[in-house]
Amino acid sequence: MVSITETQKIGVGLTGFGLFFLLFGVLLYFDSVLLAFGNVLFLTGLTFIIGLRRSAGFFFQRQKLRGSTFFLGGVALVLFRWPIIGMAVESYGFVLLFRGKQYQLSQTSQLYWPSI
């Protein structure tokens, strides 16, 4: 059984609230305040879950630098109150960051559910 520390539990809560505020901000026609709050909570929660060093290591790997630039640039655009352009840039960065994970996730799911 994997033990979860108190810091990781707080991180899960922060990430959940961040995703909620992001979704709510999109549903309210790209409300810039909700989107900015959601972005800050999501990134803070991610940092609490995996740690500051691993977060920095993930975002600033040489092969992921382009995706990180677009993702964090989109977060900055949302914070500067350009929500529609910021979310588009952020989404593109998200796709660039996680484009290699789809194959890895499908292989992992085969391990747990061989019938899929």
Side-chain angles (χ1 to χ4, degrees), residues 20-106:
F20 170 75
F21 280 111
L22 282 171
L23 177 68
F24 202 54
V26 169
L27 289 176
L28 290 177
Y29 301 112
F30 291 96
D31 182 37
S32 61
V33 174
L34 289 174
L35 290 173
F37 194 57
N39 278 330
V40 169
L41 284 175
F42 178 76
L43 290 174
T44 305
L46 185 70
T47 304
F48 269 64
I49 291 172
I50 64 175
L52 187 59
R53 184 175 302 211
R54 288 179 66 189
S55 295
F58 173 76
F59 280 110
F60 299 116
Q61 291 178 9
R62 186 165 180 83
Q63 66 268 20
K64 293 183 180 182
L65 199 56
R66 184 171 165 210
S68 297
T69 304
F70 276 102
F71 182 76
L72 296 175
V75 170
L77 286 173
V78 169
L79 289 174
F80 292 137
R81 294 191 171 248
W82 289 10
I84 296 174
I85 297 169
M87 288 302 291
V89 171
E90 188 176 337
S91 299
Y92 179 66
F94 187 82
V95 168
L96 288 178
L97 276 173
F98 295 104
R99 89 175 123 185
K101 295 289 183 187
Q102 182 181 11
Y103 176 74
Q104 187 178 10
L105 287 174
S106 68

